[in-house]
Amino acid sequence: MTNLNLPSVYNLIELDLVKSTNLTAKEFASKGEESIPDGTIIWAREQSDGRGRRGKYWSSPKGNLYTSLILRPEIILSESAQLSFVAALSIYDALGNLGPPGHQVHCKWPNDILLNEKKVSGILLESEGALANKPADWIILGIGLNIESYPQDTSFPSTSLHSEGWNTSVEEVLMAFSRSFLSWSNTWLESGFSSIRQNWLWRSIGIGTMIKVELDNKILEGVFEDIADDGALILNQNGKTRRVTAGDLFFSNVK
Ligand code: BTN
């Protein structure tokens, strides 16, 4: 067992090797709220089948952070995506509190964190039982953060804390994240998504620039105009705006 100093609202389950902490978190969550309460953190040292958004693989060797937070908030389906913005702000702040000065951290739509314009962290939000007007039984907030290593074969450039010269441990990142998540969750509960959205926009990259968004079967191009109230990207294509709810974002002026 590692001696982690997490705020007392969390219930930590620490594991060595799992297929995917999101998968393990779902198994635990389905045991019910009595034994697995809101705020349970599944943390593994390694994953054999780490999963990213849109069915992608998430490279998961030892040395990086793989964690899934089990949440049981009273929110309906359309609001649950807001949690990934709360998590992105929390990762942003955790890195800001830990890193040496002179580095750029950004939130990248929809659920990534960039360090010096390369992806260092991704978020995978999954839920069960949510209906349009019924809260989910649970929401799993999966977070991967590259600390010692990063995959070389990604379509968007990746990096890790160590390769950017940061001497930070997995434990330090998890402790810093857990503290800032508590703080941003309170902001969300007290001030609603508008405050989260505004704070995310201040820390984001690419607003007002030409972008490409890769969907399952096509690529959309246009100007990244804004983020809607539900977290959708607003793309301006020759004066016409359209909402994009899922996809991979690429910047036209970078590489
Ligand atoms: C993405 O950017 O595509 C999201 C990546 C999310 C990866 C994390 S690692 C911990 C948790 N377990 C998984 O299998 N995936 C998430």
Side-chain angles (χ1 to χ4, degrees):
M1 288 281 282
T2 316
N3 194 10
L4 279 188
N5 185 9
L6 300 183
S8 59
V9 292
Y10 296 107
N11 166 38
L12 178 68
I13 298 179
E14 190 181 334
L15 302 162
D16 279 329
L17 171 66
V18 296
K19 276 187 173 174
S20 149
T21 55
N22 267 33
L23 212 62
T24 307
K26 284 181 200 174
E27 288 161 9
F28 273 107
S30 60
K31 292 178 201 273
E33 192 167 0
E34 297 263 294
S35 54
I36 304 295
D38 174 70
T40 299
I41 294 181
I42 308 295
W43 171 39
R45 294 282 176 179
E46 200 180 349
Q47 300 184 122
S48 58
D49 193 16
R51 295 172 320 153
R53 287 183 299 109
R54 304 177 66 225
K56 290 188 182 162
Y57 168 73
W58 185 261
S59 164
S60 308
K62 272 190 184 159
N64 297 335
L65 176 67
Y66 313 110
T67 189
S68 299
L69 188 49
I70 299 171
L71 300 167
R72 300 182 184 277
E74 287 289 308
I75 53 171
I76 57 171
L77 185 61
S78 58
E79 293 165 337
S80 60
Q82 298 176 7
L83 265 167
S84 59
F85 289 83
V86 176
L89 286 173
S90 311
I91 299 169
Y92 178 101
D93 274 8
L95 294 182
N97 290 333
L98 290 170
H103 292 267
Q104 289 184 311
V105 183
H106 287 110
C107 297
K108 173 177 175 269
W109 187 89
N111 296 154
D112 295 342
I113 301 297
L114 305 187
L115 176 57
N116 299 329
E117 299 194 349
K118 289 159 281 182
K119 177 164 172 171
V120 72
S121 177
I123 299 164
L124 178 64
L125 187 83
E126 298 184 275
S127 65
E128 178 150 302
L131 295 172
N133 52 3
K134 171 188 169 288
D137 296 334
W138 41 256
I139 292 175
I140 307 293
L141 192 56
I143 292 162
L145 198 147
N146 301 330
I147 295 175
E148 282 188 11
S149 64
Y150 65 91
Q152 309 287 327
D153 54 350
T154 48
S155 49
F156 191 91
S158 298
T159 193
S160 67
L161 299 187
H162 288 194
S163 57
E164 297 297 318
W166 295 31
N167 181 20
T168 312
S169 69
V170 179
E171 290 83 355
E172 283 172 316
V173 175
L174 183 53
M175 285 191 286
F177 167 77
S178 67
R179 284 192 287 267
S180 53
F181 185 74
L182 203 54
S183 159
W184 281 112
S185 299
N186 285 334
T187 304
W188 181 50
L189 291 174
E190 283 160 18
S191 312
F193 186 62
S194 61
S195 172
I196 296 298
R197 175 182 164 276
Q198 191 54 60
N199 275 285
W200 187 94
L201 285 169
W202 283 327
R203 294 159 176 80
S204 69
I205 186 166
I207 298 277
T209 68
M210 279 299 291
I211 56 164
K212 290 182 184 165
V213 192
E214 197 181 284
L215 311 185
D216 288 339
N217 51 2
K218 61 181 161 190
I219 294 179
L220 302 175
E221 285 192 67
V223 174
F224 184 177
E225 196 166 279
D226 203 353
I227 293 291
D229 284 345
D230 60 356
L233 182 150
I234 308 293
L235 190 67
N236 187 322
Q237 296 182 299
N238 302 318
K240 278 195 176 168
T241 55
R242 71 186 282 173
R243 286 164 43 84
V244 186
T245 54
D248 284 328
L249 171 57
F250 295 89
F251 303 116
S252 300
N253 62 345
V254 179
K255 265 185 84 170

